Amino acid sequence: MRPHDVAVADTVDTDVVRRTPAGWRVGGDEVPDLVSAMVLADLLTGESGTRVPRAQAPGRAPEGASEVERLRHTVSQLEHALHSRVVVEQAIGVLAERHTMAPREAFERLRSSARSRGRKVADLARDVVESSTSPLTTLPDELSTVQG
């Protein structure tokens, strides 16, 4: 297993996403890039009804860590950021479709709502995505109602 694969194994369910010579395998499907693999894995996980715990962002590498450990940690941080971005993009799609608005406007509304509540955009984005399948998920008024 290569160092990059180890970092992926630390941040992604390896039963769902696996590195292959040609790209990434999600379940039985082959996809060319990690972003597509993570989106597909999220969709498959959502369909299965299993809840994925919200992962904490990796902090800094420990003092005195070897170069390999620091690089693994950096890969973990980048993959966490990538996953957060995937969730934000999904939330933008949900809001754009729900309120028939441009994706840029949906992002601005999401960002404004997160700022006004002192929340991270990625955390609020997870709630938006979850609200598309769970009517019990409550959202701030500016995200749940159409504004004129």
Side-chain angles (χ1 to χ4, degrees), residues 90-101:
Q90 289 172 339
I92 289 169
V94 168
L95 292 173
E97 188 276 332
R98 187 178 287 168
H99 302 296
T100 58
M101 63 176 62

Side-chain angles (χ1 to χ4, degrees), residues 3 6-7 10 58-77:
V6 171
D10 291 342
R60 293 181 176 225
E63 196 68 33
S66 70
E67 183 176 0
V68 171
E69 290 168 330
R70 284 194 323 272
L71 290 172
R72 283 184 180 153
H73 196 77
T74 299
V75 169
S76 177
Q77 289 172 324

Side-chain angles (χ1 to χ4, degrees), residues 54-55 83-95 98-99 105-132 137-144:
R54 294 182 182 188
H83 181 71
S84 293
R85 179 176 174 164
V86 167
V87 172
V88 170
E89 294 291 334
Q90 289 172 339
I92 289 169
V94 168
L95 292 173
R98 187 178 287 168
H99 302 296
E105 184 182 349
F107 172 72
E108 291 299 332
R109 190 177 290 184
L110 179 66
R111 185 176 65 148
S112 173
S113 182
R115 279 186 177 174
S116 69
R117 285 167 175 67
R119 294 186 64 191
K120 293 181 178 181
V121 171
D123 291 342
L124 188 54
R126 280 185 196 90
D127 291 346
V128 170
V129 172
E130 188 176 309
S131 76
S132 69
T137 303
T138 58
L139 296 176
D141 288 340
E142 64 270 16
L143 298 180
S144 62

Side-chain angles (χ1 to χ4, degrees), residues 22-65:
W24 296 87
R25 180 171 302 282
V26 181
D29 298 321
E30 187 82 23
V31 292
D33 58 85
L34 183 58
V35 173
S36 299
M38 292 180 79
V39 169
L40 183 56
D42 283 345
L43 292 172
L44 292 173
T45 301
E47 287 177 359
S48 70
T50 57
R51 302 216 16 115
V52 177
R54 294 182 182 188
Q56 290 289 335
R60 293 181 176 225
E63 196 68 33

